[in-house]
Amino acid sequence: MKKIIQLSTIGASIATVGCLAFSGLASASSITMTGPHSTNWISMRHSNSYSLSNYNWLRSSNSTRQSARTGNTSVSRNTRGGDAYSGDASNSNDNSSNVMVMNGSDGGNMSVSDSSGGGNDASISDTGPSSRNTINESSRNSYEETNNNSVSSMNHTSQMADTGSANVSGNTHGGDASSGDASNMNGTSSDLTVTNNGGGMSLSAPTGSSDASISDTGPGSRNSIDMSSSNSYKMTNTNNVNVSHNTTQSAKSGNATVSHNTNGGSAQSGDASNTSDSSTSIDISN
């Protein structure tokens, strides 16, 4: 006589959240009174599988092109010439980027357990002499996490400020000539945050929840109990970060000329200045 009992409990999940709990199903199996020369076999298998994959591609790009130019001023060929002033030329640019990506929940905690509170019981008894009795139980927990993060931040700024020329010439009484100020100001700030929660996990094999026994099988019986448990954990984090700031600025104040006057005033050229401020903060937590 051959009597076989085979139980399988399989749990599988593919998810993109970080909190998951598995528990095996309760099972109780027994073989009794099968008689001499019988072959008896109980097989119990428990498997939990969990897979988490996060693919994040972040790209922040800011491009600015500015140009400011004032016209030329001229006072010429007058008996009494007044003053000549060219205006100010200025550019101002302010870029701010804030990108945040979070994968997972509840801190990425995961628990896999095959414990069913003492319900995994297997027994073979009273099978008679010269019987073959086998109890085979296996438990396997598998966890795999993959995080691929690509972060790119690019800022490109091109600015030009040019004030016109101020000219006082050919006058009997010439006034003052002043060119305006030329200035550029650029401010760039990027804040990129990527958080993948999945590292806080635990795998636990059945502990004290399985009871396997073979008894009273008679003389000449062949009895075996095989119990095994396996935990597998794999985490892969791939982070690519690219930050680029490119700023081109040009500031030019115009010429101030007082010439060919009987009574000439003063000539004053304006200031030329450039200001650039870049700040980048990247935080990646796997």
Side-chain angles (χ1 to χ4, degrees):
M1 177 184 291
K2 294 184 179 180
K3 190 168 184 179
I4 298 174
I5 297 179
Q6 183 169 339
L7 299 176
S8 297
T9 300
I10 300 176
S13 176
I14 299 176
T16 57
V17 298
C19 183
L20 184 67
F22 287 129
S23 61
L25 299 178
S27 59
S29 303
S30 64
I31 297 175
T32 61
M33 301 183 181
T34 56
H37 305 287
S38 59
T39 299
N40 307 300
W41 176 36
I42 296 178
S43 176
M44 302 175 66
R45 299 177 182 176
H46 308 277
S47 176
N48 288 322
S49 178
Y50 177 78
S51 176
L52 173 64
S53 298
N54 292 316
Y55 301 95
N56 302 306
W57 289 270
L58 305 181
R59 185 176 185 269
S60 175
S61 176
N62 296 301
S63 179
T64 303
R65 184 177 180 86
Q66 295 174 315
S67 176
R69 178 176 292 177
T70 63
N72 298 323
T73 60
S74 176
V75 178
S76 61
R77 301 180 184 279
N78 300 291
T79 302
R80 295 185 179 274
D83 301 329
Y85 298 99
S86 69
D88 298 332
S90 64
N91 290 308
S92 178
N93 178 50
D94 187 8
N95 293 320
S96 179
S97 299
N98 187 359
V99 180
M100 176 180 292
V101 174
M102 298 182 66
N103 300 116
S105 63
D106 295 335
N109 292 321
M110 175 204 170
S111 178
V112 176
S113 174
D114 255 335
S115 175
S116 58
N120 295 330
D121 298 333
S123 65
I124 298 176
S125 63
D126 300 322
T127 58
S130 301
S131 59
R132 300 180 62 182
N133 307 299
T134 301
I135 296 178
N136 187 351
E137 180 177 356
S138 63
S139 300
R140 181 178 182 271
N141 293 321
S142 177
Y143 175 85
E144 181 175 355
E145 178 179 351
T146 301
N147 294 314
N148 293 324
N149 302 306
S150 179
V151 179
S152 177
S153 176
M154 294 181 293
N155 296 292
H156 177 73
T157 303
S158 178
Q159 294 175 315
M160 182 186 71
D162 189 1
T163 63
S165 300
N167 182 33
V168 178
S169 62
N171 303 290
T172 302
H173 296 282
D176 299 330
S178 300
S179 67
D181 297 332
S183 64
N184 291 306
M185 183 181 69
N186 177 53
T188 301
S189 177
S190 299
D191 187 2
L192 304 174
T193 302
V194 177
T195 302
N196 297 307
N197 291 324
M201 57 82 62
S202 63
L203 297 172
S204 59
T207 303
S209 61
S210 298
D211 186 6
S213 64
I214 299 176
S215 62
D216 299 326
T217 58
S221 299
R222 299 174 62 183
N223 306 311
S224 65
I225 296 178
D226 184 12
M227 302 179 66
S228 66
S229 62
S230 175
N231 287 327
S232 176
Y233 175 79
K234 180 181 179 181
M235 174 182 287
T236 302
N237 291 319
T238 302
N239 301 309
N240 296 319
V241 179
N242 182 20
V243 179
S244 175
H245 296 286
N246 187 2
T247 301
T248 302
Q249 294 176 318
S250 175
K252 182 180 179 181
S253 64
N255 297 322
T257 303
V258 178
S259 63
H260 302 290
N261 302 291
T262 303
N263 295 311
S266 61
Q268 182 175 353
S269 176
D271 298 329
S273 64
N274 290 309
T275 301
S276 178
D277 185 10
S278 296
S279 177
T280 300
S281 177
I282 298 177
D283 184 7
I284 297 179
S285 177
N286 299 120

